Amino acid sequence: GGSRAVHHVLNVGDALEISEPRNLFKLDESQAATSVLLAGGIGITPIHAMAQRLQALGQPWHLFYCVRSRRRAAFLDELQQLEANSQGQGRLDVLIEDEMNGARMNMDAALAPYKNQGSHFYCCGPAGMLQAYKQACADLPDQQVHFEYFAAAPVTAADQGEDSAFTVHLARTGGSIEVPAGRSILECLLDQGIRVDFSCRGGICGSCETKVLSGTPEH
């Protein structure tokens, strides 16, 4: 991956081609209502950045941070200082499983006070937390509900349907490629020497997203 290439391939003075950052978990900075932030474990990484940005904008925020143990709570000191400096605009609730006898966060109770305020909700964490979050937000408009997975959701046989070959027509170059069962469009494009953007190959980063001009994709 990228880290291996940086350490084993790059040399001082090498030129790198980069793109503009792509953000699929974007903070809505236009709203005045409290932004509700939820993080599980290392999911605090983007959520911490959001809390800092909201504070810089002078916008209210409420952050729920769920973690297994206090020892594993990354950024805890920084978050507590951020709350202390917020002049009442920010609120931090840290829920530590080891100190709650294994109890989990009551997602419905946490979100309920903000649902009628036009608030936006943001969550990054493990699959179980995201499932509870999406269920708690099922009655909200999609544009107010934001989330980011650690990994792509598992695909079941029922989701996948029949795995059969198909043809992709490339409008820009005028060519076509055959995609056999069991392979992805990305893999077949790369095999043909067609340069496309990609990164994780796991279906979560969005780097290889492309426009569909006609037809209905089967995911």
Side-chain angles (χ1 to χ4, degrees), residues 4 29 40 47 57 60 65 84 87 115 120 123 127 130 144 148-150 154 167 192 203 209:
R4 182 177 298 173
E29 300 180 358
I47 297 297
L57 294 171
Y65 184 12
Q87 299 180 334
K115 285 192 172 183
H120 279 235
C123 184
L130 282 163
Q144 292 175 232
E148 183 172 60
Y149 281 96
F150 289 162
T167 303
Q192 296 297 316
E209 284 185 350

Side-chain angles (χ1 to χ4, degrees), residues 179-218:
V179 181
R183 303 206 70 204
S184 69
I185 296 174
L186 175 62
E187 290 171 334
C188 295
L189 288 170
L190 296 175
D191 285 349
Q192 296 297 316
I194 299 172
R195 182 178 176 181
V196 290
D197 292 332
F198 70 96
S199 181
C200 74
R201 291 178 178 257
I204 58 172
C205 75
S207 296
C208 65
E209 284 185 350
T210 188
K211 292 181 179 179
V212 177
L213 302 181
S214 64
T216 302
E218 294 182 4

Side-chain angles (χ1 to χ4, degrees), residues 3-4 18 26 31 43 52 55 62 84 110 147 151 154 171-172 174-175 184 192 194-195 208 210 216:
S3 297
R4 182 177 298 173
I18 65 172
K26 189 175 181 180
Q31 59 146 354
Q52 292 176 86
Q55 186 121 318
H62 187 172
F147 52 88
R172 190 173 300 162
S184 69
Q192 296 297 316
I194 299 172
R195 182 178 176 181
C208 65
T210 188
T216 302

Side-chain angles (χ1 to χ4, degrees), residues 13-48:
D14 285 352
L16 299 177
E17 180 180 341
I18 65 172
S19 68
E20 294 180 353
R22 182 176 301 190
N23 188 355
L24 300 179
F25 188 43
K26 189 175 181 180
L27 180 67
D28 187 331
E29 300 180 358
S30 65
Q31 59 146 354
T34 300
S35 293
V36 182
L37 313 173
L38 302 103
I42 199 59
I44 192 61
T45 306
I47 297 297
H48 180 207

